[in-house]
Amino acid sequence: TEAEYISLSSALREVISVVHLLEEFNKRNFPIHGATPKVTCRAFEDNRSCIEIATNHKTRPRTKHLSVRLHHFRSHVVNKTITIEHVSRKQQMADIFTKPLPRQQFIYLRDRLMNWSSP
């Protein structure tokens, strides 16, 4: 759970920078054709404990050691700029890049990633 939370925190650190950049474009009246977009992000996580720590701001004995620097994205979760959604382990697209997978799951994720239809 701790490693998953650190990874989520690291990924959202990058996302928040992009969100701030896009919000700055909106504030500076950067010419955008059409309606001004609302910037939001959906993060997908397969660890329910990690999602619970990220969305529920209670300190627990097992999580109190997590550094404050890891909780930087919580205000964005409260403001609903970032939503963290559960995805099953079989559907987790990132696994194709980070884990050795059984052949069938690899083919399934590869086909989804490449937007190929399976025979």
Side-chain angles (χ1 to χ4, degrees):
T1 300
E2 183 177 350
E4 292 270 351
Y5 191 73
I6 291 169
S7 296
L8 179 67
S9 176
S10 176
L12 291 180
R13 187 176 305 279
E14 301 297 324
V15 167
I16 290 169
S17 298
V18 173
V19 167
H20 285 299
L21 178 66
L22 294 172
E23 287 174 347
E24 189 68 26
F25 283 159
N26 286 341
K27 288 179 187 172
R28 304 244 183 212
N29 296 324
F30 191 78
I32 298 175
H33 302 290
T36 304
K38 183 175 189 254
V39 181
T40 59
C41 171
R42 289 172 48 200
F44 297 99
E45 177 61 53
D46 61 3
N47 186 313
R48 291 189 190 272
S49 298
C50 179
I51 295 171
E52 179 67 23
I53 294 168
T55 57
N56 193 348
H57 303 284
K58 294 179 185 172
T59 303
R60 295 169 195 83
R62 297 190 71 182
T63 61
K64 67 182 179 183
H65 69 282
L66 292 173
S67 174
V68 174
R69 67 182 171 82
L70 297 175
H71 303 304
H72 62 89
F73 60 89
R74 282 185 169 175
S75 63
H76 294 277
V77 172
V78 170
N79 296 336
K80 305 224 186 277
T81 307
I82 295 174
T83 57
I84 303 170
E85 300 176 17
H86 181 263
V87 63
S88 71
R89 291 189 188 272
K90 295 207 183 273
Q91 301 285 325
Q92 181 59 278
M93 297 282 284
D95 284 354
I96 199 168
F97 301 113
T98 61
K99 297 178 183 172
L101 299 171
R103 181 177 173 78
Q104 195 64 27
Q105 187 176 5
F106 176 82
I107 291 170
Y108 170 75
L109 291 175
R110 181 202 59 195
D111 292 350
R112 280 193 59 212
L113 185 66
M114 300 299 291
N115 203 18
W116 295 342
S117 57
S118 296

